[in-house]
């Protein structure tokens, strides 16, 4: 599944990912994430390590996509791509229709969205940042019309909350109220709002956002897996000889392949294929059951966080 991060430059997207990896990277004692690409893994480990020493990741302006697997007790649960959107629309003061088109295309292929709002800017009373919010707002507002295959989760993350004095107010959020109302009245999308701190001591919030995205994106993923299972089932059927002649032919083939295996030329027989397809089917089924249990568990966690006022849903 594809999780897309959007937010202006320096809003805290890369730091958030570094925090997520510091918290969950290769954790086998509960939930964890595993980077599937060795180079990316090295890079993430370095960023997490630097964060432990109070150093934030260096800024880059290259579009990035990280491939992860969500794990539970070290076992693979669901693969996800974590993408950092850097289209022109969030870089320019005067975005055009083409920029908007590209942005909407990116959202179309996403199964969940994480929107980054700089807490320092949101709590600034001066109104200096309204242009920045307005671009982001119009992007997300336009994306609400997209027909996703299933209910679409949007997670709003207010970053850098450790930099705010006690009792700070997010004046900038007033501009988001109409959008939030639209989301809360829509049956196609839902949202979660969470305040976030990433530094050497606090790096737990990314898990909350990830839980919401995974929980929300699971139904589409399950649909895709069911399709894969159907394919496996039809492959098993295709390769299973149904008539006596078929069984005899398959048996002969099996014998021949036995001979072939002695000379080790790796001949895959019809029965081997059926067995492999059956195995795929069972594997898919087990994986799906596991994912459903995890998804319910994540839902319970999310409800608890809402009860504890750590997150807000609308
Ligand atoms: N104090 C504090 N600073 C943060 C936090 N998140 C990001 N920053 C700062 O914001 C800068 C930009 O963040 P970065 O993750 O690179 O933003 P990106 O451009 O959206 O990827 C970092 O270099 C940090 O200085 C946070 O939670 N707390
Ligand atoms: Mg970055």
């Amino acid at each position: 599944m594809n999780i897309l991060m959007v937010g202006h430059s320096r809003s805290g997207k890369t730091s958030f990912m570094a925090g997520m990896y510091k918290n969950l990277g290769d954790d086998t004692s509960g939930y964890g994430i595993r980077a599937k690409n060795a180079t990316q893994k090295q890079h993430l480990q370095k960023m997490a390590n630097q964060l432990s020493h109070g150093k934030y990741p260096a800024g880059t302006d290259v579009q990035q996509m990280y491939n992860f697997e969500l794990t539970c007790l070290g076992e693979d649960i669901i693969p996800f791509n974590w993408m950092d959107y850097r289209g022109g629309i969030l870089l320019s003061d005067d975005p055009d229709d083409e920029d908007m088109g590209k942005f909407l295309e990116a959202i179309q292929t996403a199964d969940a969205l994480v929107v980054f709002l700089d807490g320092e800017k949101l709590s600034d009373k001066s109104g200096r940042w309204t242009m920045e919010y307005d671009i982001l707002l119009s992007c997300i507002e336009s994306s609400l019309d997209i027909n996703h295959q299933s209910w679409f989760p949007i997670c709003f993350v207010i970053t850098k909350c450790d930099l705010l004095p006690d009792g700070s107010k997010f004046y900038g959020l007033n501009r988001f109220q109409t959008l939030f109302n639209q989301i809360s009245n829509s049956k196609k999308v839902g949202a979660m709002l969470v305040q976030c701190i990433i530094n050497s001591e606090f790096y737990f919030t990314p898990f909350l956002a990830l839980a919401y995205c995974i929980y929300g994106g699971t139904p589409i993923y399950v649909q895709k897996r069911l399709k894969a299972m159907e394919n496996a089932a039809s492959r098993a059927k295709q390769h299973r000889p149904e008539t006596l002649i078929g069984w005899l032919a398959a048996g002969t083939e099996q014998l021949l392949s036995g001979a072939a295996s002695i000379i080790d030329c790796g001949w895959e027989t019809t029965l081997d294929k059926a067995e492999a397809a059956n195995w795929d089917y069972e594997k898919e089924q087990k994986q799906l059951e596991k994912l459903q249990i995890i998804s319910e568990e994540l839902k319970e966690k999310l409800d608890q966080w809402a009860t504890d006022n750590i997150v807000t849903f609308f």
Side-chain angles (χ1 to χ4, degrees), residues 164-186:
L164 307 177
D166 280 350
S168 295
K169 286 207 169 76
F170 296 118
Y171 300 100
L173 275 191
N174 293 336
R175 296 190 86 80
F176 285 78
Q177 212 48 61
T178 314
L179 174 72
F180 289 174
N181 289 341
Q182 269 175 294
I183 294 177
S184 103
N185 291 329
S186 162

Short mmCIF file of all heavy atoms in Angstrom, two decimals, residues 164-186:
data_model
loop_
_atom_site.label_atom_id
_atom_site.label_comp_id
_atom_site.label_asym_id
_atom_site.label_seq_id
_atom_site.Cartn_x
_atom_site.Cartn_y
_atom_site.Cartn_z
N LEU A 164 6.86 24.89 21.07
CA LEU A 164 5.79 25.84 21.39
C LEU A 164 5.72 26.08 22.89
O LEU A 164 5.79 25.13 23.68
CB LEU A 164 4.45 25.31 20.90
CG LEU A 164 4.41 24.90 19.44
CD1 LEU A 164 3.06 24.31 19.08
CD2 LEU A 164 4.71 26.11 18.56
N PRO A 165 5.55 27.34 23.32
CA PRO A 165 5.36 27.62 24.74
C PRO A 165 4.02 27.02 25.21
O PRO A 165 3.11 26.86 24.40
CB PRO A 165 5.32 29.15 24.81
CG PRO A 165 5.40 29.67 23.42
CD PRO A 165 5.53 28.53 22.47
N ASP A 166 3.94 26.70 26.50
CA ASP A 166 2.69 26.15 27.05
C ASP A 166 1.53 27.07 26.72
O ASP A 166 1.68 28.29 26.74
CB ASP A 166 2.81 26.01 28.57
CG ASP A 166 3.58 24.75 28.91
OD1 ASP A 166 3.81 23.94 27.99
OD2 ASP A 166 3.97 24.58 30.09
N GLY A 167 0.40 26.48 26.45
CA GLY A 167 -0.82 27.26 26.22
C GLY A 167 -0.88 27.88 24.83
O GLY A 167 -1.74 28.72 24.56
N SER A 168 0.03 27.48 23.93
CA SER A 168 -0.01 28.02 22.57
C SER A 168 -1.31 27.63 21.88
O SER A 168 -1.85 26.56 22.14
CB SER A 168 1.14 27.47 21.74
OG SER A 168 2.35 27.92 22.25
N LYS A 169 -1.78 28.48 21.02
CA LYS A 169 -2.99 28.17 20.25
C LYS A 169 -2.61 28.05 18.79
O LYS A 169 -1.74 28.77 18.30
CB LYS A 169 -3.99 29.31 20.40
CG LYS A 169 -4.68 29.35 21.74
CD LYS A 169 -6.06 30.02 21.57
CE LYS A 169 -6.92 29.87 22.79
NZ LYS A 169 -6.52 30.76 23.89
N PHE A 170 -3.32 27.16 18.09
CA PHE A 170 -3.03 27.00 16.66
C PHE A 170 -3.98 27.89 15.86
O PHE A 170 -4.97 27.42 15.31
CB PHE A 170 -3.18 25.53 16.27
CG PHE A 170 -2.18 24.63 16.95
CD1 PHE A 170 -2.60 23.61 17.79
CD2 PHE A 170 -0.82 24.81 16.75
CE1 PHE A 170 -1.68 22.79 18.42
CE2 PHE A 170 0.11 23.99 17.37
CZ PHE A 170 -0.32 22.98 18.21
N TYR A 171 -3.65 29.17 15.81
CA TYR A 171 -4.52 30.13 15.09
C TYR A 171 -4.72 29.70 13.64
O TYR A 171 -5.81 29.84 13.08
CB TYR A 171 -3.92 31.54 15.13
CG TYR A 171 -3.75 32.04 16.54
CD1 TYR A 171 -2.51 32.00 17.17
CD2 TYR A 171 -4.85 32.53 17.25
CE1 TYR A 171 -2.35 32.43 18.47
CE2 TYR A 171 -4.70 32.97 18.56
CZ TYR A 171 -3.45 32.91 19.16
OH TYR A 171 -3.31 33.33 20.45
N GLY A 172 -3.65 29.19 13.03
CA GLY A 172 -3.71 28.82 11.62
C GLY A 172 -4.75 27.75 11.33
O GLY A 172 -5.21 27.61 10.20
N LEU A 173 -5.12 26.95 12.35
CA LEU A 173 -6.07 25.87 12.11
C LEU A 173 -7.45 26.40 11.74
O LEU A 173 -8.26 25.69 11.15
CB LEU A 173 -6.19 24.96 13.34
CG LEU A 173 -5.18 23.84 13.49
CD1 LEU A 173 -5.60 22.90 14.62
CD2 LEU A 173 -5.00 23.04 12.20
N ASN A 174 -7.73 27.67 12.13
CA ASN A 174 -9.03 28.27 11.78
C ASN A 174 -9.30 28.18 10.28
O ASN A 174 -10.41 27.95 9.86
CB ASN A 174 -9.10 29.74 12.22
CG ASN A 174 -9.07 29.82 13.73
OD1 ASN A 174 -9.44 28.87 14.41
ND2 ASN A 174 -8.62 30.94 14.26
N ARG A 175 -8.23 28.37 9.51
CA ARG A 175 -8.40 28.33 8.06
C ARG A 175 -8.74 26.93 7.57
O ARG A 175 -9.23 26.75 6.47
CB ARG A 175 -7.12 28.80 7.36
CG ARG A 175 -6.78 30.22 7.64
CD ARG A 175 -5.66 30.69 6.74
NE ARG A 175 -6.13 31.17 5.44
CZ ARG A 175 -6.63 32.37 5.27
NH1 ARG A 175 -6.80 33.19 6.27
NH2 ARG A 175 -7.00 32.75 4.06
N PHE A 176 -8.45 25.92 8.38
CA PHE A 176 -8.69 24.53 7.98
C PHE A 176 -10.09 24.05 8.35
O PHE A 176 -10.48 22.95 7.99
CB PHE A 176 -7.66 23.60 8.64
CG PHE A 176 -6.29 23.70 8.01
CD1 PHE A 176 -5.44 24.75 8.31
CD2 PHE A 176 -5.87 22.73 7.11
CE1 PHE A 176 -4.19 24.85 7.73
CE2 PHE A 176 -4.61 22.82 6.52
CZ PHE A 176 -3.77 23.89 6.83
N GLN A 177 -10.81 24.89 9.10
CA GLN A 177 -12.09 24.42 9.64
C GLN A 177 -13.07 23.95 8.57
O GLN A 177 -13.70 22.90 8.72
CB GLN A 177 -12.71 25.51 10.53
CG GLN A 177 -13.53 24.96 11.67
CD GLN A 177 -12.79 23.86 12.45
OE1 GLN A 177 -11.74 24.10 13.02
NE2 GLN A 177 -13.33 22.64 12.44
N THR A 178 -13.15 24.72 7.47
CA THR A 178 -14.09 24.33 6.40
C THR A 178 -13.70 22.97 5.83
O THR A 178 -14.55 22.10 5.62
CB THR A 178 -14.06 25.38 5.26
OG1 THR A 178 -14.10 26.66 5.86
CG2 THR A 178 -15.21 25.19 4.31
N LEU A 179 -12.40 22.79 5.60
CA LEU A 179 -11.93 21.50 5.08
C LEU A 179 -12.26 20.38 6.07
O LEU A 179 -12.77 19.32 5.68
CB LEU A 179 -10.41 21.55 4.85
CG LEU A 179 -9.78 20.23 4.46
CD1 LEU A 179 -10.16 19.84 3.03
CD2 LEU A 179 -8.26 20.27 4.56
N PHE A 180 -12.01 20.63 7.34
CA PHE A 180 -12.28 19.60 8.36
C PHE A 180 -13.78 19.25 8.38
O PHE A 180 -14.14 18.08 8.51
CB PHE A 180 -11.82 20.07 9.74
CG PHE A 180 -10.30 20.12 9.90
CD1 PHE A 180 -9.71 20.64 11.04
CD2 PHE A 180 -9.48 19.63 8.90
CE1 PHE A 180 -8.33 20.67 11.20
CE2 PHE A 180 -8.09 19.67 9.03
CZ PHE A 180 -7.51 20.19 10.19
N ASN A 181 -14.63 20.28 8.23
CA ASN A 181 -16.06 20.00 8.19
C ASN A 181 -16.43 19.16 6.97
O ASN A 181 -17.23 18.23 7.06
CB ASN A 181 -16.88 21.30 8.15
CG ASN A 181 -16.80 22.02 9.49
OD1 ASN A 181 -16.47 21.42 10.51
ND2 ASN A 181 -17.08 23.32 9.49
N GLN A 182 -15.82 19.53 5.83
CA GLN A 182 -16.09 18.77 4.61
C GLN A 182 -15.73 17.30 4.81
O GLN A 182 -16.46 16.40 4.42
CB GLN A 182 -15.24 19.31 3.46
CG GLN A 182 -15.89 20.39 2.65
CD GLN A 182 -14.90 20.91 1.62
OE1 GLN A 182 -13.88 21.50 1.99
NE2 GLN A 182 -15.17 20.69 0.35
N ILE A 183 -14.56 17.08 5.42
CA ILE A 183 -14.11 15.71 5.64
C ILE A 183 -15.06 14.99 6.58
O ILE A 183 -15.47 13.86 6.34
CB ILE A 183 -12.66 15.67 6.19
CG1 ILE A 183 -11.69 16.22 5.14
CG2 ILE A 183 -12.27 14.25 6.61
CD1 ILE A 183 -10.26 16.32 5.59
N SER A 184 -15.47 15.72 7.62
CA SER A 184 -16.29 15.01 8.60
C SER A 184 -17.69 14.71 8.05
O SER A 184 -18.33 13.76 8.48
CB SER A 184 -16.28 15.75 9.95
OG SER A 184 -17.41 16.45 10.15
N ASN A 185 -18.12 15.49 7.04
CA ASN A 185 -19.41 15.20 6.42
C ASN A 185 -19.33 14.19 5.28
O ASN A 185 -20.34 13.78 4.73
CB ASN A 185 -20.03 16.49 5.85
CG ASN A 185 -20.44 17.41 6.96
OD1 ASN A 185 -20.80 16.95 8.04
ND2 ASN A 185 -20.37 18.71 6.73
N SER A 186 -18.10 13.83 4.91
CA SER A 186 -17.93 12.93 3.77
C SER A 186 -17.90 11.47 4.24
O SER A 186 -17.35 11.16 5.30
CB SER A 186 -16.63 13.26 3.05
OG SER A 186 -16.23 12.19 2.24
#
